[in-house]
Amino acid sequence: GRLASCLFLSSLWPEPDSSAAGVRTEALLHAFQRWGYDCSFAASSAPKSAYVERLQSRGVQAYECPPNREAELARVLERTAPDVVVFDRFFTEEAFSFRVRELAPAALRVLDMQDMHA
């Protein structure tokens, strides 16, 4: 059968050389790959070639997915057929989760708490 699929949704491309959040996101991507998932990453910001190339060189498919563009999100979800969707920040979950729930109801939705501060 097909590999299980994991889609990461973010407002930004992971930048492990400039932020701890980027290091965390990249570590989670690699963990899912070690667990046997086919990983994809979709960001609502314009693609930054160096970071997109870094993802792609590690076997991660990259997509641009602007907020409030349901057709784009639907296209990404159709192409990736995710079993798991990881939202890297709370505001990303707020922006996309309700549509993911509608368009991919069987996908497990996970909120990474990397930027939650007390």
Side-chain angles (χ1 to χ4, degrees):
R2 75 172 181 89
L3 286 176
S5 175
C6 181
L7 172 64
F8 280 71
L9 281 172
S10 177
S11 60
L12 305 168
W13 297 96
E15 299 181 13
D17 53 345
S18 67
S19 76
V23 171
R24 164 97 176 152
T25 298
E26 202 166 80
L28 282 174
L29 275 165
H30 293 131
F32 272 95
Q33 286 179 316
R34 282 192 313 275
W35 298 330
Y37 284 81
D38 182 26
C39 291
S40 300
F41 195 95
S44 54
S45 62
K48 293 185 176 182
S49 62
Y51 300 110
V52 171
E53 289 169 11
R54 182 183 179 113
L55 290 172
Q56 291 172 334
S57 73
R58 295 177 178 187
V60 177
Q61 295 296 312
Y63 300 92
E64 183 180 359
C65 190
N68 302 317
R69 299 275 201 288
E70 186 173 346
E72 289 297 312
L73 179 59
R75 181 181 58 83
V76 170
L77 291 169
E78 183 179 326
R79 286 186 179 176
T80 60
D83 298 293
V84 177
V85 177
V86 177
F87 304 95
D88 73 335
R89 291 172 176 83
F90 180 72
F91 62 84
T92 306
E93 190 273 342
E94 279 189 310
F96 291 105
S97 182
F98 72 103
R99 290 288 179 229
V100 170
R101 188 172 46 251
E102 290 175 3
L103 299 170
L108 175 68
R109 294 178 311 280
V110 176
L111 171 58
D112 182 13
M113 302 295 285
Q114 66 183 329
D115 272 354
M116 295 298 286
H117 304 281

